[in-house]
């Protein structure tokens, strides 16, 4: 009986424990996973033997991120990393990315997603260095990078041919040249964030509309420079589902009527689009019958007419509706709103 017990224990240790370890560790945050490596040599060997656990490097909000990244990419377990996040990390600059290019180039050959959000010390030089190592990159995000220019985007499109998701939010030095580069090189782009890219104009945005017809998500939050002219060709985006136009102060009903031709829209943010009236919203209601999210926050030119039109067309899909500040729309109780939109989960009305 003792022998059988020892055999069962051996099987448990060799087969069951590693399987359980793999299941548990795959659900842990990377920092916790790395801490586990220090518990014992056996655990270290077991975890290192699972390549799927080492496909991402998460250094978000960490200090000494540049040195940490170089050290991580020097380890064999990260030779096939697919995701790297340096979002708001500290102490990483162009020099670190130059070192990675010279010493760790092989480790980034399979990289698909790179998040450099808030990395203020990285410039076009760093973008050139790191993108030259990532031929398979699909997702690139440099939110709030005030040093990046059109030259950096030029390096990106030269080095990375398969981008489908771009976040340029807050990159205030990017201009229409960047939009032209994106349009010419990424016809299969699916997501684009241009929030607060204040140098961009109607002509640049139109280039994206014409050449990136697979776009599903477009965020142009806080860009009052775009006019109705920009949206004349937006109907080409037949796959567009998410559109954020918050603060588009020059958008009128004419532009919104063009946007209404994007019939697959699911989410539309018109917050503070102050020139819009019932005419434009009714056009949206009649064409975009799959809308789930709509914000009309702060638009004083809309009335109950647009709400009625939305109820007729989108009653079975609308789950979130914001009419806060829309003084032309009368206050309604929760029950009254649910009569118009029975699947509404979140709604905001003016006080």
């Amino acid at each position: 009986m003792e022998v059988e017990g020892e055999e069962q224990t051996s099987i448990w240790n060799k087969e069951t424990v590693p399987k359980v370890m793999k299941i548990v560790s795959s659900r842990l945050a990377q920092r916790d996973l790395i801490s586990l490596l220090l518990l014992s040599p056996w655990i270290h060997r077991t975890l290192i033997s699972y390549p799927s656990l080492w496909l991402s490097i998460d250094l978000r909000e960490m200090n000494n991120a540049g040195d940490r990244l170089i050290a991580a990419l020097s380890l064999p377990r990260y030779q096939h990393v697919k995701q790297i996040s340096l979002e708001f990390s500290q102490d990483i600059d162009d020099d670190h990315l130059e070192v990675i290019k010279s010493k760790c180039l092989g480790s980034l050959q399979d990289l698909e997603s790179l998040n450099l959000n808030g990395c203020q010390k990285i410039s076009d030089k760093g973008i050139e260095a790191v993108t030259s190592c990532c031929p398979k990159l699909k997702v690139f995000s440099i939110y709030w990078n005030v040093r990046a220019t059109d030259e950096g985007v030029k390096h990106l499109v030269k080095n990375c041919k398969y981008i489908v998701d771009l976040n340029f939010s807050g990159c205030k030095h990017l201009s229409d040249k960047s939009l032209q580069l994106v349009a010419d090189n990424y016809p299969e782009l699916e997501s684009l964030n241009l929030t607060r890219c204040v140098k961009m104009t109607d002509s640049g945005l139109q280039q994206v509309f014409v050449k990136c017809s697979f776009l599903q998500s477009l965020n142009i939050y806080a860009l009052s420079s775009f006019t109705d002219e920009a949206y004349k060709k937006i109907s080409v985006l037949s796959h567009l589902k998410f559109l954020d136009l918050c603060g588009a102060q020059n958008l009128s009903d004419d532009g919104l009527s063009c946007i209404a031709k994007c019939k697959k829209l699911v989410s539309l943010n018109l917050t503070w689009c102050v020139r819009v009236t019932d005419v434009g919203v009714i056009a949206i209601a009649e064409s975009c019958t799959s809308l789930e999210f709509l914000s009309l926050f702060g638009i004083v030119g809309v009335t109950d007419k647009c709400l009625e039109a939305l109820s007729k067309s989108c009653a079975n899909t609308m789950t979130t509706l914001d009419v806060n500040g829309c003084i032309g729309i009368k206050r309604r109780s929760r029950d009254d709103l649910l009569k118009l939109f029975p699947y509404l989960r979140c709604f905001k009305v003016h006080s």
Side-chain angles (χ1 to χ4, degrees), residues 116-157:
L116 299 176
N117 289 348
C119 296
Q120 295 284 354
K121 295 181 180 179
I122 294 175
S123 70
D124 295 337
K125 180 181 177 183
I127 293 173
E128 178 182 18
V130 72
T131 58
S132 68
C133 308
C134 314
K136 296 181 181 178
L137 198 66
K138 295 180 180 180
V139 180
F140 184 63
S141 184
I142 52 171
Y143 162 74
W144 199 34
N145 185 316
V146 296
R147 300 183 68 189
T149 72
D150 296 329
E151 191 65 21
V153 178
K154 184 177 179 181
H155 296 312
L156 173 68
V157 301

Short mmCIF file of all heavy atoms in Angstrom, two decimals, residues 116-157:
data_model
loop_
_atom_site.label_atom_id
_atom_site.label_comp_id
_atom_site.label_asym_id
_atom_site.label_seq_id
_atom_site.Cartn_x
_atom_site.Cartn_y
_atom_site.Cartn_z
N LEU A 116 3.16 52.69 -26.18
CA LEU A 116 4.10 53.69 -25.67
C LEU A 116 3.35 54.91 -25.15
O LEU A 116 3.88 56.02 -25.12
CB LEU A 116 5.07 54.12 -26.79
CG LEU A 116 5.96 53.03 -27.38
CD1 LEU A 116 6.79 53.58 -28.54
CD2 LEU A 116 6.86 52.42 -26.32
N ASN A 117 2.13 54.72 -24.71
CA ASN A 117 1.31 55.83 -24.23
C ASN A 117 2.00 56.57 -23.08
O ASN A 117 2.42 55.97 -22.10
CB ASN A 117 -0.05 55.33 -23.74
CG ASN A 117 -0.93 54.86 -24.86
OD1 ASN A 117 -0.65 55.10 -26.03
ND2 ASN A 117 -2.01 54.17 -24.53
N GLY A 118 2.08 57.89 -23.23
CA GLY A 118 2.61 58.72 -22.16
C GLY A 118 4.11 58.65 -21.98
O GLY A 118 4.63 59.20 -21.00
N CYS A 119 4.82 57.98 -22.88
CA CYS A 119 6.28 57.91 -22.79
C CYS A 119 6.87 59.18 -23.40
O CYS A 119 7.26 59.20 -24.58
CB CYS A 119 6.80 56.66 -23.48
SG CYS A 119 6.26 55.12 -22.71
N GLN A 120 6.94 60.22 -22.62
CA GLN A 120 7.23 61.56 -23.12
C GLN A 120 8.66 61.75 -23.62
O GLN A 120 8.96 62.72 -24.32
CB GLN A 120 6.94 62.59 -22.03
CG GLN A 120 5.49 62.69 -21.63
CD GLN A 120 4.66 63.46 -22.66
OE1 GLN A 120 5.19 64.00 -23.62
NE2 GLN A 120 3.37 63.51 -22.46
N LYS A 121 9.57 60.86 -23.25
CA LYS A 121 10.97 61.03 -23.65
C LYS A 121 11.31 60.33 -24.96
O LYS A 121 12.45 60.37 -25.41
CB LYS A 121 11.89 60.51 -22.53
CG LYS A 121 11.80 61.32 -21.25
CD LYS A 121 12.75 60.78 -20.19
CE LYS A 121 12.67 61.60 -18.90
NZ LYS A 121 13.59 61.07 -17.85
N ILE A 122 10.31 59.71 -25.56
CA ILE A 122 10.54 59.01 -26.82
C ILE A 122 10.17 59.93 -27.98
O ILE A 122 9.08 60.50 -28.01
CB ILE A 122 9.73 57.71 -26.88
CG1 ILE A 122 10.25 56.73 -25.83
CG2 ILE A 122 9.79 57.09 -28.27
CD1 ILE A 122 9.46 55.46 -25.72
N SER A 123 11.09 60.07 -28.93
CA SER A 123 10.89 60.95 -30.07
C SER A 123 10.89 60.12 -31.36
O SER A 123 10.87 58.89 -31.33
CB SER A 123 12.01 61.99 -30.13
OG SER A 123 13.24 61.38 -30.48
N ASP A 124 10.95 60.79 -32.50
CA ASP A 124 10.99 60.12 -33.79
C ASP A 124 12.16 59.13 -33.86
O ASP A 124 12.04 58.06 -34.46
CB ASP A 124 11.14 61.15 -34.91
CG ASP A 124 9.94 62.07 -35.02
OD1 ASP A 124 8.85 61.68 -34.57
OD2 ASP A 124 10.09 63.17 -35.57
N LYS A 125 13.27 59.50 -33.24
CA LYS A 125 14.46 58.64 -33.24
C LYS A 125 14.16 57.30 -32.57
O LYS A 125 14.53 56.24 -33.07
CB LYS A 125 15.60 59.35 -32.52
CG LYS A 125 16.89 58.55 -32.45
CD LYS A 125 17.95 59.33 -31.68
CE LYS A 125 19.23 58.52 -31.52
NZ LYS A 125 20.25 59.24 -30.72
N GLY A 126 13.49 57.35 -31.43
CA GLY A 126 13.12 56.12 -30.73
C GLY A 126 12.11 55.30 -31.50
O GLY A 126 12.18 54.07 -31.53
N ILE A 127 11.14 56.00 -32.13
CA ILE A 127 10.13 55.31 -32.93
C ILE A 127 10.79 54.57 -34.09
O ILE A 127 10.46 53.42 -34.39
CB ILE A 127 9.08 56.31 -33.45
CG1 ILE A 127 8.25 56.85 -32.28
CG2 ILE A 127 8.17 55.65 -34.49
CD1 ILE A 127 7.31 57.98 -32.66
N GLU A 128 11.76 55.22 -34.72
CA GLU A 128 12.48 54.57 -35.82
C GLU A 128 13.21 53.32 -35.32
O GLU A 128 13.15 52.25 -35.95
CB GLU A 128 13.50 55.53 -36.43
CG GLU A 128 14.31 54.90 -37.56
CD GLU A 128 15.35 55.83 -38.14
OE1 GLU A 128 15.70 56.83 -37.48
OE2 GLU A 128 15.82 55.55 -39.26
N ALA A 129 13.88 53.44 -34.17
CA ALA A 129 14.65 52.32 -33.64
C ALA A 129 13.77 51.12 -33.31
O ALA A 129 14.04 49.99 -33.74
CB ALA A 129 15.42 52.77 -32.40
N VAL A 130 12.71 51.36 -32.57
CA VAL A 130 11.91 50.23 -32.10
C VAL A 130 11.07 49.62 -33.22
O VAL A 130 10.92 48.39 -33.29
CB VAL A 130 11.02 50.64 -30.90
CG1 VAL A 130 9.88 51.55 -31.32
CG2 VAL A 130 10.50 49.40 -30.17
N THR A 131 10.53 50.43 -34.12
CA THR A 131 9.70 49.86 -35.19
C THR A 131 10.53 49.09 -36.20
O THR A 131 10.00 48.19 -36.87
CB THR A 131 8.89 50.95 -35.91
OG1 THR A 131 9.77 51.93 -36.46
CG2 THR A 131 7.90 51.61 -34.97
N SER A 132 11.81 49.40 -36.30
CA SER A 132 12.67 48.66 -37.23
C SER A 132 12.87 47.22 -36.78
O SER A 132 13.33 46.38 -37.56
CB SER A 132 14.03 49.36 -37.36
OG SER A 132 14.77 49.26 -36.15
N CYS A 133 12.52 46.92 -35.53
CA CYS A 133 12.66 45.57 -34.98
C CYS A 133 11.36 44.77 -35.04
O CYS A 133 11.35 43.59 -34.66
CB CYS A 133 13.11 45.64 -33.52
SG CYS A 133 14.55 46.65 -33.19
N CYS A 134 10.26 45.41 -35.46
CA CYS A 134 8.93 44.80 -35.30
C CYS A 134 8.20 44.65 -36.64
O CYS A 134 7.19 45.33 -36.87
CB CYS A 134 8.07 45.65 -34.36
SG CYS A 134 8.88 46.19 -32.86
N PRO A 135 8.64 43.79 -37.51
CA PRO A 135 8.00 43.67 -38.83
C PRO A 135 6.57 43.17 -38.79
O PRO A 135 5.82 43.37 -39.75
CB PRO A 135 8.91 42.67 -39.56
CG PRO A 135 9.55 41.87 -38.47
CD PRO A 135 9.76 42.83 -37.35
N LYS A 136 6.18 42.51 -37.68
CA LYS A 136 4.82 41.95 -37.60
C LYS A 136 3.87 42.80 -36.76
O LYS A 136 2.76 42.39 -36.46
CB LYS A 136 4.88 40.54 -37.00
CG LYS A 136 5.64 39.54 -37.86
CD LYS A 136 5.65 38.16 -37.23
CE LYS A 136 6.43 37.16 -38.07
NZ LYS A 136 6.47 35.82 -37.43
N LEU A 137 4.30 44.01 -36.41
CA LEU A 137 3.50 44.86 -35.54
C LEU A 137 2.13 45.17 -36.15
O LEU A 137 2.03 45.53 -37.32
CB LEU A 137 4.24 46.17 -35.26
CG LEU A 137 3.76 46.98 -34.06
CD1 LEU A 137 4.03 46.24 -32.76
CD2 LEU A 137 4.44 48.36 -34.03
N LYS A 138 1.08 45.03 -35.33
CA LYS A 138 -0.28 45.30 -35.79
C LYS A 138 -0.94 46.46 -35.03
O LYS A 138 -1.78 47.17 -35.57
CB LYS A 138 -1.16 44.06 -35.61
CG LYS A 138 -0.75 42.88 -36.48
CD LYS A 138 -1.66 41.69 -36.23
CE LYS A 138 -1.28 40.51 -37.08
NZ LYS A 138 -2.18 39.34 -36.83
N VAL A 139 -0.54 46.62 -33.76
CA VAL A 139 -1.15 47.64 -32.90
C VAL A 139 -0.05 48.55 -32.38
O VAL A 139 0.91 48.10 -31.76
CB VAL A 139 -1.90 47.00 -31.72
CG1 VAL A 139 -2.51 48.07 -30.83
CG2 VAL A 139 -2.95 46.02 -32.21
N PHE A 140 -0.20 49.87 -32.62
CA PHE A 140 0.81 50.84 -32.19
C PHE A 140 0.11 52.03 -31.56
O PHE A 140 -0.75 52.66 -32.18
CB PHE A 140 1.65 51.30 -33.38
CG PHE A 140 2.78 52.23 -33.01
CD1 PHE A 140 3.81 51.79 -32.19
CD2 PHE A 140 2.81 53.53 -33.48
CE1 PHE A 140 4.86 52.64 -31.84
CE2 PHE A 140 3.85 54.39 -33.14
CZ PHE A 140 4.88 53.93 -32.32
N SER A 141 0.49 52.34 -30.31
CA SER A 141 -0.18 53.41 -29.57
C SER A 141 0.85 54.34 -28.94
O SER A 141 1.72 53.89 -28.19
CB SER A 141 -1.08 52.80 -28.49
OG SER A 141 -1.81 53.80 -27.82
N ILE A 142 0.75 55.64 -29.27
CA ILE A 142 1.66 56.63 -28.69
C ILE A 142 0.86 57.83 -28.14
O ILE A 142 1.22 58.99 -28.33
CB ILE A 142 2.72 57.12 -29.69
CG1 ILE A 142 2.08 57.59 -31.00
CG2 ILE A 142 3.76 56.07 -29.94
CD1 ILE A 142 3.07 58.29 -31.92
N TYR A 143 -0.21 57.53 -27.46
CA TYR A 143 -1.03 58.57 -26.84
C TYR A 143 -0.18 59.56 -26.04
O TYR A 143 0.73 59.17 -25.31
CB TYR A 143 -2.06 57.89 -25.92
CG TYR A 143 -2.69 58.79 -24.88
CD1 TYR A 143 -3.65 59.73 -25.25
CD2 TYR A 143 -2.31 58.70 -23.54
CE1 TYR A 143 -4.23 60.55 -24.30
CE2 TYR A 143 -2.89 59.51 -22.58
CZ TYR A 143 -3.85 60.45 -22.96
OH TYR A 143 -4.41 61.27 -22.02
N TRP A 144 -0.51 60.85 -26.20
CA TRP A 144 0.10 61.93 -25.43
C TRP A 144 1.63 61.98 -25.60
O TRP A 144 2.38 62.20 -24.68
CB TRP A 144 -0.25 61.80 -23.94
CG TRP A 144 -0.05 63.07 -23.17
CD1 TRP A 144 -0.22 64.34 -23.61
CD2 TRP A 144 0.35 63.18 -21.79
NE1 TRP A 144 0.04 65.25 -22.62
CE2 TRP A 144 0.39 64.56 -21.49
CE3 TRP A 144 0.67 62.26 -20.80
CZ2 TRP A 144 0.75 65.04 -20.23
CZ3 TRP A 144 1.02 62.73 -19.54
CH2 TRP A 144 1.06 64.09 -19.26
N ASN A 145 2.08 61.78 -26.84
CA ASN A 145 3.49 61.95 -27.15
C ASN A 145 3.65 63.27 -27.89
O ASN A 145 3.28 63.39 -29.06
CB ASN A 145 4.01 60.79 -28.01
CG ASN A 145 5.50 60.86 -28.25
OD1 ASN A 145 6.05 61.92 -28.55
ND2 ASN A 145 6.17 59.73 -28.13
N VAL A 146 4.21 64.25 -27.22
CA VAL A 146 4.30 65.59 -27.80
C VAL A 146 5.61 65.81 -28.55
O VAL A 146 5.88 66.90 -29.05
CB VAL A 146 4.13 66.68 -26.72
CG1 VAL A 146 2.74 66.61 -26.12
CG2 VAL A 146 5.20 66.54 -25.63
N ARG A 147 6.43 64.77 -28.66
CA ARG A 147 7.68 64.87 -29.39
C ARG A 147 7.61 64.21 -30.76
O ARG A 147 8.44 64.47 -31.63
CB ARG A 147 8.82 64.24 -28.58
CG ARG A 147 9.04 64.90 -27.22
CD ARG A 147 10.23 64.30 -26.50
NE ARG A 147 11.48 64.62 -27.15
CZ ARG A 147 12.65 64.09 -26.82
NH1 ARG A 147 12.72 63.21 -25.83
NH2 ARG A 147 13.75 64.43 -27.46
N ALA A 148 6.63 63.35 -30.95
CA ALA A 148 6.49 62.65 -32.23
C ALA A 148 6.03 63.62 -33.31
O ALA A 148 5.18 64.47 -33.09
CB ALA A 148 5.50 61.50 -32.09
N THR A 149 6.60 63.48 -34.50
CA THR A 149 6.23 64.30 -35.65
C THR A 149 5.89 63.40 -36.83
O THR A 149 5.93 62.17 -36.73
CB THR A 149 7.37 65.27 -36.05
OG1 THR A 149 8.44 64.51 -36.66
CG2 THR A 149 7.92 66.02 -34.84
N ASP A 150 5.62 64.02 -37.97
CA ASP A 150 5.33 63.26 -39.18
C ASP A 150 6.50 62.33 -39.55
O ASP A 150 6.30 61.28 -40.16
CB ASP A 150 5.06 64.21 -40.34
CG ASP A 150 3.81 65.05 -40.13
OD1 ASP A 150 2.88 64.56 -39.47
OD2 ASP A 150 3.78 66.20 -40.61
N GLU A 151 7.71 62.73 -39.17
CA GLU A 151 8.89 61.91 -39.47
C GLU A 151 8.80 60.56 -38.76
O GLU A 151 9.18 59.52 -39.32
CB GLU A 151 10.16 62.64 -39.05
CG GLU A 151 11.44 62.03 -39.56
CD GLU A 151 11.60 62.07 -41.07
OE1 GLU A 151 10.94 62.91 -41.72
OE2 GLU A 151 12.38 61.25 -41.60
N GLY A 152 8.30 60.57 -37.54
CA GLY A 152 8.14 59.32 -36.81
C GLY A 152 7.14 58.39 -37.49
O GLY A 152 7.35 57.17 -37.56
N VAL A 153 6.06 58.96 -37.99
CA VAL A 153 5.06 58.17 -38.71
C VAL A 153 5.65 57.63 -40.01
O VAL A 153 5.35 56.50 -40.43
CB VAL A 153 3.79 59.01 -38.99
CG1 VAL A 153 2.76 58.21 -39.78
CG2 VAL A 153 3.18 59.48 -37.67
N LYS A 154 6.52 58.41 -40.61
CA LYS A 154 7.20 57.95 -41.84
C LYS A 154 8.02 56.69 -41.55
O LYS A 154 8.01 55.73 -42.32
CB LYS A 154 8.11 59.06 -42.36
CG LYS A 154 8.80 58.74 -43.67
CD LYS A 154 9.64 59.93 -44.14
CE LYS A 154 10.36 59.62 -45.45
NZ LYS A 154 11.18 60.79 -45.89
N HIS A 155 8.70 56.67 -40.41
CA HIS A 155 9.47 55.49 -40.02
C HIS A 155 8.53 54.31 -39.75
O HIS A 155 8.83 53.16 -40.11
CB HIS A 155 10.30 55.78 -38.77
CG HIS A 155 11.35 56.82 -38.97
ND1 HIS A 155 12.22 56.80 -40.04
CD2 HIS A 155 11.68 57.92 -38.23
CE1 HIS A 155 13.05 57.83 -39.95
NE2 HIS A 155 12.73 58.53 -38.87
N LEU A 156 7.42 54.59 -39.10
CA LEU A 156 6.45 53.54 -38.76
C LEU A 156 5.96 52.83 -40.02
O LEU A 156 5.97 51.60 -40.09
CB LEU A 156 5.27 54.14 -38.00
CG LEU A 156 4.10 53.20 -37.72
CD1 LEU A 156 4.49 52.11 -36.75
CD2 LEU A 156 2.89 53.99 -37.19
N VAL A 157 5.50 53.59 -40.99
CA VAL A 157 4.92 52.96 -42.19
C VAL A 157 5.97 52.25 -43.02
O VAL A 157 5.66 51.28 -43.74
CB VAL A 157 4.14 53.99 -43.05
CG1 VAL A 157 3.02 54.63 -42.24
CG2 VAL A 157 5.07 55.05 -43.62
#
